[in-house]
Each structure stands twice: as C-alpha cells, then as structure tokens.
Amino acid sequence: MRFDPALIIHHLPSILSGLSITILTWLIGTIGAVLVGFVIASARRFGPRPLGMALGAIVEVIRGTPFLIQLFLLYFGGPYIGLFLDPLPAGLLGLTVYGSAYFSEIFRGGFEAVPVGHIEAAECVGLNRLQIVKRILLPEMSMLVLPSAVNMAILLIKETAVLSIITVPELTMIVSAIGSEYYAFVESLFLLALFYWALVELCGFLGRKAEAKLSHFRLSAS
Amino acid sequence: MSHPAVTIRGLHKSFGAVEVLRGIDLDIPRAQVTCLIGPSGSGKSTLLRCMAFLEETSSGSILIDDAPLGFRTHADGSRTRLPAADIRTARRKIGMVFQQFNLWPHMTALGNVSEALKTVQKLGRREAEDRAMVQLKKVGLAERADHFPSQLSGGQQQRVAIARALALEPEIMLFDEPTSSLDPELTGEVLNVMRALADDGMTMVVVSHEIGFSASVGQKIAFLDQGQLLLTGTPTEVFGKPRHPRLDQFLETYLDRGAAMLL
Amino acid sequence: MNSWKLWMLLLQGAGLTVAVSLLSIAIGLAIGAVISAGMLSSKQVFAVPSRLFVSFFRGVPLLVQLLLIYNLLPAIGINVSSVGAAITGLSLCTAAYQAENLRGGLMSVPKGLIEAAEMAGLNATQQFRRIRLPIAFRLTLPAIINEAIMILKASSLVSVVGVVELTRMTQDLSASTYRPLELFAMAGVIYFIINWGLSFIGSYTENAIRWGRP
C-alpha cells in the first residue's frame, strides 16, 4: 500500500478547496436548475403555445444528450460564438442548464398531478387565477414533486464530478491529481468514492426525513 | 369407514393477537366432498390454507395420509418444523384452487397447466403439453389452450386453474371460495366441473358460499363459527330440522345463494 | 479533412458507443436480476451485501467508479483493455439501478401467484426464475428502458479512460480540426438519434410483451 495518510494532511488545504467547490457548484447549480426548471414548466403550462412547444423541444434535446457533450459544446464551442467562459462558470452554467431540463419535467408532472377538482373547488369559492396558483396549485404541487426533486438534487451531486473533465478544480479533479502525482491512484480514488457515497447517503437520509415531516401536508392535500 | 385422507387434531392458528382457529378436530373422508361453511371471519378459509401449509399453524397437527404436514409433533406435544423439501413432498398430494384464480399472467392456459410438469416433474415439453391438454379437455377448454389469462372470462380462468391443479394428479383437491370472485352467471360452469370431479371420486374440501352446492354435492358438512367447529355431519344431519340456532341465523343471510331450498 | 470523412469517423465512434452501451445494458440487467433477488432474500448473508452494492454504485459518481475500476483492475492483477474496464464499470453501475427497479417490481407481484407456484411444487429458485422475475420485468419495463437510456448517455464518460467512442472521437477530431462547435453538435445529434432508437426498441418491446392484453 503506497497510500500515506500524511498525504491527506499535507494536501488538506487543496482538498478542502476542492470540497468547497464541489458543494458550492452543487448548491448554486441545483438552486439555479430548480428556478429555471420552474420557469420553463410554468411557461409551458401558462404561456403561449409556440413558446411551450419550443421549450419542450429544447428540454427533449437536453434530456436526450449526454451532460459531457453539453459541457464540451459550451466550454470548447462557446468561444466560437463569442462565449468565453472559464471552467468554473462554464461548469455552473452547464450544470444549471442540464438540471433545469430535468426539474422542468418534474414540475410539469407536478402541475398535471394536482386534481382538476381542487382547482374547480377554488374557482367556486371565488379565488382568482393568481390566488389559485399561489394558494392551491403551488403548495399542492410542491408536496407532490418533493420526492423526485430530492432524487434529482442528489443526482446532481454526482454530476458535479463530471466538471473535473473541463478542469473545474472540484474534489474529483483535486484528488485524482494528488493520486497521480504520488502514484496512489487506487487508494485516493477509493477514499473519494467513499466520500461521495457518504455524502449521497446523507442527503438521501435528510431528504427522506424532510418528506416524512411534510407527509401530513400531502395527506391533507389528497 | 376407510382411513381419512386428512386428519386434523387440536389445530390452533393466530394472526398476532387474534386467534382465528381455536382447536379444530376434523377428519376429511376419502373420495368424498367435504364442505366448510360458516360466516365470513369464521376461519374456514384459514383452515383450508392450513391444509395446504400456506399458513403455518400455531399448534396442533395435520396429517395427510398419516404423514405430518409442515411440523412433526413429538410425544411430549412439542413440534419441529420440517424442511422445505418435505413440505413439498407432502404437498404433492394436494391440489389447490384459489378464490382469485392466481393464473400466471405471462403464460397461456396451456403454459399454466404444463408449467409444473415441465419444471418440477421434468417432463419433456411435448409430453407435458400433451398431459396438460388432457386436463384442459376435461374442463372443456381445449380450444382456449393458447389464450392468455387476460383473454379468458373469470369462469374460464377458474376452470384453467382447476386443470392446473389436476395436472399434478393430486389425491386431495382444496377449493378456496372458487366462485366468490365470479359474476353470478359464470359460477355454473365452475360448479359443474367440480361436480364432475366429485362424481369421479376425488377427495375434495370446498370452502364456499354456495349453500345449494354444499347441500347437494357435499357428503360431509362442517359448520365453523368464530374459529370453532360447531357442527359436522351429513347434509341431512346438519341442515335437517331441528337446526342449530347459529346455523339458522347464518342460512337466513344466504337465502339468495340457493339456501332457500333448505328452508 | 472533408466533412464526409468526419462523419465516417464520428459514426465509427458511435458504433463503439452503441456496442459498449448495449453490452453493459445486457450484463447490467443480468447482474441486477441476481442482486434484486439478493436484496429481497430473508438471509442476511445475501441481503446485506446486495443492499450495500446497490447503495455504493448508486452513491458514487460514475466517473469516479470508472477511474477507480480502470486503475484498480491492473493493480489487483487483472489486465483488461480500456474497453473491458469501461464495460465493467458501466455494467456494475447500471446493475445497481436495475436491481432497485426490479426489486420494486418483484415486491408488487401478487402474493397469490407465488402461492399458486408454491402449490404447484416449484422450489424457491424456480419460483423466482419462472414466475416472479418475468412478471417483475414486465411491470418495471418502462423504468428499465429509462435506465438503459441513462446508461447510453452516461457511456460518454468512458471517454476519460481512453475508449475512443463517440465523445472521445469528437474530442480528438475537434482538437485537430478546430471545429468543436459543429463537431460536438453533430455528436449531440448522433446521441439523440441513438437514444431515439433505444426508446423505439423499448416501446416495441413493451408492445410485444402484452400477454393477451389489448
């Protein structure tokens, strides 16, 4: 075993910086993806038909192609149309665009899953359109989509590792650089895998807890 | 009287804190039709499922042809569970027909009937299917052999299920409310198949709400109430007057099921 | 390089993408079926490792898995080509997802169908192979196809372990021709078409396996 624990201590600052970039890109990318995804889903539901169809086609293309290809297109192809981006902003933008397509589908499903009767009941008691969206549609929908949204957010943790390929200095890139420098590739990658595993399991655990806590809302909503 | 096909002694069965069977002693006579009747929740289906070892009994014993089913009872009354292979051997004598038919949806009628012949008895495909066809003919469904369960009516599905059980040449056939999930106009075809089977001398145990069938085809009637055997005997003994007040009460709720002829 | 030659090279890469993906999908399904049985086993010796397998391969980024396997196999004395390492990694990862899919399907097979198999004398293995698994497979087919499409897209990551499939080919070509915009767009179109083909096969299969239902 070539792996020396002192390596970790020695490289702690760069490992921590990689970790913080992983967490930050994930958080910013996920929040961005949720917001953009919600706008797309709303535009497809409430906006004019041609806009909805165009957005639907874009979502299909993003969901139908690999994330890595999208990143390469943005990072290597971007400069040819005047879009010069450093790795980190390119990665963030890519993650947001990629995630937003999936989140928009989750929200679209959520909109459709709210029973028409609930909307009709709100109309009957005299709520206007904005009130219906704010007081009925959104609260009900957010309960319905929570499990799949949590799932998608967890998926995006793992996608941040892909950003290392366009040299975003996140955890995977830092750790594999250390590993190759000291010929301790297997050991350091194994530690890296364990770290992601723990992070994903932790987020899954917290997500399930949040769902359980909110489940009484869902019961009263249905 | 010849040796009973099934001997049940001191049978208890609990689901958690609820005791469903509370000390059942019953003999199932050979080559006769025994009907288990009683109000819902009386434990009659559970008793039948115990005879197939689909439910594990809490205490007591069941002997199939003198061979213990599921548990071996020692002299001191304690029991040890028999290995799965022994349970399969004991079950080989038993055929079971379920309320919900339980036909495998991914196999045709012929596939359902020939499956165990192929996988358990290791017969060649040809021979297994030939033997399966014989059984399908017996229940009048030879021309539906290639149909999937979803393409058959409920009555036809149940007849395929009977053929599936018969293909393994059991000595005892158990029927768990075989007509209860059928539309009323489809019960006749299933009851007719069962009647023909009884005429052939098959040992049968039938849990049914068809009181008319029980009274006319059954040779032994067992009336269960709240987990206990209240009455056993021939139809004349059980249904004849004067009648046990609990049975009277029960029959009154079944006037529309052919019980009218008994009143 | 003229564009006809570029297309040919891209299609060559696409061929490898399809081959690697289809093999991984098939191997992953087979492993996934075994793992799903393990997850539902009442014996902890089978259940615990199966659950750990699923949790690990679903919890670690595929890229990290691929790098790990690519470096681990030679380190423990198994010499495989980069294609072999790629197929190993993709298969194990997709097996975890398919196992989870099939587990859900296996749990929703009606209990009565198992009882009928039990009464027909089928032993536990026969019950699983002949009754539970085929029904679970059909029940979860949409999710299984979905995962197959996911793994096809994820196969682009094997470019980092030196497999010259569609993504790596595109990278190499764009480095030599300085036309990344067109090339990656072309690659995207090819991936999209392969995906479309895969979902077509998926819905064809769904339609073909109907067991008599209209």
Side-chain angles (χ1 to χ4, degrees):
Chain A
M1 193 93 167
R2 278 162 301 204
F3 192 73
D4 181 1
L7 263 183
I8 300 182
I9 316 284
H10 184 65
H11 289 278
L12 203 58
S14 58
I15 291 175
L16 285 180
S17 109
L19 174 62
S20 55
I21 289 182
T22 289
I23 303 276
L24 276 178
T25 44
W26 172 51
L27 280 179
I28 298 171
T30 303
I31 293 170
V34 167
L35 292 178
V36 177
F38 184 74
V39 170
I40 295 173
S42 307
R44 288 182 73 182
R45 163 111 187 191
F46 303 110
R49 221 178 125 74
L51 176 68
M53 280 165 67
L55 286 172
I58 293 170
V59 166
E60 274 316 293
V61 168
I62 294 172
R63 294 190 340 130
T65 50
F67 180 41
L68 186 56
I69 290 288
Q70 295 162 21
L71 274 184
F72 281 159
L73 195 59
L74 188 66
Y75 184 64
F76 295 121
Y80 289 81
I81 51 166
L83 193 64
F84 292 91
L85 289 173
D86 282 336
L88 185 58
L92 268 177
L93 182 60
L95 199 63
T96 305
V97 169
Y98 174 76
S100 66
Y102 288 87
F103 274 114
S104 81
E105 282 295 287
I106 292 173
F107 290 132
R108 197 169 68 99
F111 277 133
E112 277 167 15
V114 174
V116 185
H118 293 196
I119 311 291
E120 288 171 349
E123 281 169 356
C124 286
V125 296
L127 271 67
N128 66 34
R129 227 181 130 163
L130 191 67
Q131 286 168 325
I132 290 174
V133 171
K134 241 175 64 185
R135 310 278 310 164
I136 311 293
L137 200 54
L138 289 188
E140 274 201 46
M141 189 192 85
S142 38
M143 293 309 130
L144 291 169
V145 301
L146 194 65
S148 23
V150 167
N151 237 356
M152 189 59 216
I154 290 173
L155 227 110
L156 287 181
I157 300 180
K158 293 185 283 170
E159 296 294 356
T160 59
V162 176
L163 302 186
S164 64
I165 301 174
I166 58 162
T167 67
V168 175
E170 48 67 77
L171 198 62
T172 299
M173 185 183 157
I174 300 282
V175 172
S176 36
I178 297 171
S180 60
E181 191 181 335
Y182 293 91
Y183 297 102
F185 231 135
V186 174
E187 295 86 342
S188 44
L189 282 171
F190 194 67
L191 283 181
L192 185 65
L194 288 182
F195 166 78
Y196 277 113
W197 189 13
L199 185 63
V200 164
E201 282 296 322
L202 176 72
C203 290
F205 173 76
L206 293 178
R208 282 191 296 275
K209 249 186 124 162
E211 282 161 33
K213 213 165 188 178
L214 291 167
S215 65
H216 63 281
F217 278 109
R218 202 176 316 156
L219 281 180
S220 58
S222 60
Chain B
M1 198 166 141
S2 76
H3 207 62
V6 183
T7 315
I8 300 168
R9 288 294 175 266
L11 193 69
H12 287 258
K13 168 70 188 171
S14 306
F15 290 107
V18 187
E19 197 171 25
V20 186
L21 296 176
R22 302 187 292 170
I24 304 282
D25 296 298
L26 180 66
D27 289 339
I28 304 297
R30 214 171 283 278
Q32 289 191 14
V33 178
T34 304
C35 293
L36 305 179
I37 60 170
S40 55
S42 60
K44 52 192 191 307
S45 270
T46 306
L47 177 58
L48 192 83
R49 289 169 58 82
C50 285
M51 286 186 228
F53 205 64
L54 289 173
E55 304 289 353
E56 283 191 25
T57 54
S58 309
S59 65
S61 70
I62 299 176
L63 303 178
I64 310 283
D65 263 349
D66 287 332
L69 177 68
F71 293 96
R72 183 177 302 286
T73 310
H74 302 289
D76 62 350
S78 65
R79 306 190 307 170
T80 38
R81 202 181 191 287
L82 295 170
D86 286 14
I87 292 168
R88 272 200 298 280
T89 311
R91 270 203 193 119
R92 216 173 283 165
K93 297 186 174 164
I94 302 167
M96 176 96 179
V97 175
F98 300 87
Q99 181 181 349
Q100 300 293 342
F101 330 134
N102 292 342
L103 291 184
W104 302 308
H106 58 306
M107 297 177 186
T108 60
L110 188 65
N112 266 278
V113 181
S114 61
E115 173 63 21
L117 297 174
K118 287 184 285 200
T119 52
V120 182
Q121 303 194 0
K122 309 284 180 202
L123 296 182
R125 185 194 164 92
R126 265 293 261 305
E127 198 190 344
E129 290 185 349
D130 285 349
R131 280 170 59 174
M133 275 311 279
V134 173
Q135 299 303 334
L136 282 174
K137 273 197 193 100
K138 203 182 273 182
V139 298
L141 285 171
E143 77 286 1
R144 297 291 160 104
D146 294 330
H147 286 53
F148 283 95
S150 63
Q151 297 166 311
L152 299 171
S153 74
Q156 290 169 332
Q157 288 188 55
Q158 192 60 297
R159 281 148 68 198
V160 173
I162 294 174
R164 175 173 69 181
L166 289 176
L168 301 168
E169 297 173 339
E171 292 171 18
I172 306 155
M173 283 284 284
L174 308 179
F175 293 84
D176 186 8
E177 305 203 20
T179 56
S180 295
S181 4
L182 295 177
D183 291 337
E185 74 268 25
L186 299 176
T187 58
E189 54 185 274
V190 173
L191 293 178
N192 284 339
V193 168
M194 291 168 64
R195 212 169 267 132
L197 207 53
D199 291 343
D200 279 355
M202 173 64 79
T203 305
M204 292 165 62
V205 186
V206 183
V207 170
S208 178
H209 291 298
E210 305 281 345
I211 302 298
F213 174 86
S214 306
S216 61
V217 181
Q219 286 137 314
K220 178 168 182 173
I221 306 292
F223 176 61
L224 272 92
D225 193 32
Q226 295 174 351
Q228 285 174 316
L229 264 184
L230 225 47
L231 299 164
T232 48
T234 63
T236 343
E237 288 165 1
V238 173
F239 293 125
K241 290 178 177 169
R243 205 179 280 142
H244 193 285
R246 283 292 294 155
L247 179 61
D248 235 3
Q249 214 179 346
F250 168 69
L251 287 179
E252 261 172 46
T253 60
Y254 280 92
L255 281 178
D256 56 336
R257 298 255 190 169
M261 59 182 266
L262 299 169
L263 296 173
Chain C
M1 228 184 285
N2 61 37
S3 65
W4 188 77
K5 190 150 183 225
L6 280 182
W7 272 108
M8 287 323 283
L9 284 169
L10 284 180
L11 287 181
Q12 186 192 318
L16 194 55
T17 286
V18 170
V20 165
S21 301
L22 288 185
L23 254 170
S24 305
I25 290 166
I27 299 171
L29 254 180
I31 300 175
V34 175
I35 300 280
S36 70
M39 288 173 89
L40 292 174
S41 170
S42 52
K43 296 195 184 78
Q44 295 299 306
V45 236
F46 297 127
V48 172
S50 305
R51 294 213 187 95
L52 278 178
F53 176 94
V54 170
S55 163
F56 180 81
F57 283 100
R58 279 163 42 109
V60 177
L62 178 59
L63 179 65
V64 176
Q65 290 174 31
L66 286 169
L67 290 172
L68 189 57
I69 287 169
Y70 184 65
N71 290 287
L72 179 72
L73 290 181
I76 57 171
I78 303 173
N79 282 310
V80 290
S81 61
S82 52
V83 174
I87 292 175
T88 309
L90 287 176
S91 300
L92 290 176
C93 177
T94 191
Y97 283 90
Q98 300 291 29
E100 187 64 23
N101 286 337
L102 285 171
R103 186 183 69 96
L106 288 169
M107 289 202 319
S108 43
V109 173
K111 201 170 143 255
L113 300 184
I114 313 296
E115 288 183 348
E118 182 85 2
M119 287 313 294
L122 274 66
N123 64 31
T125 321
Q126 291 166 333
Q127 285 177 25
F128 182 76
R129 255 193 30 228
R130 303 282 307 169
I131 311 292
R132 296 184 74 185
L133 191 59
I135 296 173
F137 177 78
R138 180 61 189 87
L139 284 175
T140 46
L141 196 52
I144 286 173
I145 293 161
N146 207 24
E147 169 56 23
I149 290 172
M150 292 302 280
I151 213 66
L152 178 97
K153 287 185 283 171
S155 75
S156 65
L157 293 180
V158 307
S159 58
V160 298
V161 295
V163 179
V164 191
E165 39 65 78
L166 182 52
T167 298
R168 184 56 178 265
M169 182 68 88
T170 313
Q171 254 178 298
D172 293 353
L173 289 175
S174 74
S176 57
T177 60
Y178 302 102
R179 288 161 62 186
L181 200 62
E182 298 101 302
L183 280 163
F184 283 116
M186 271 149 87
V189 168
I190 296 175
Y191 272 113
F192 196 81
I193 292 170
I194 300 174
N195 258 332
W196 185 81
L198 202 54
S199 49
F200 178 79
I201 296 173
S203 42
Y204 178 84
T205 316
E206 268 184 75
N207 263 316
I209 312 175
R210 291 156 80 142
W211 305 333
R213 285 192 180 77

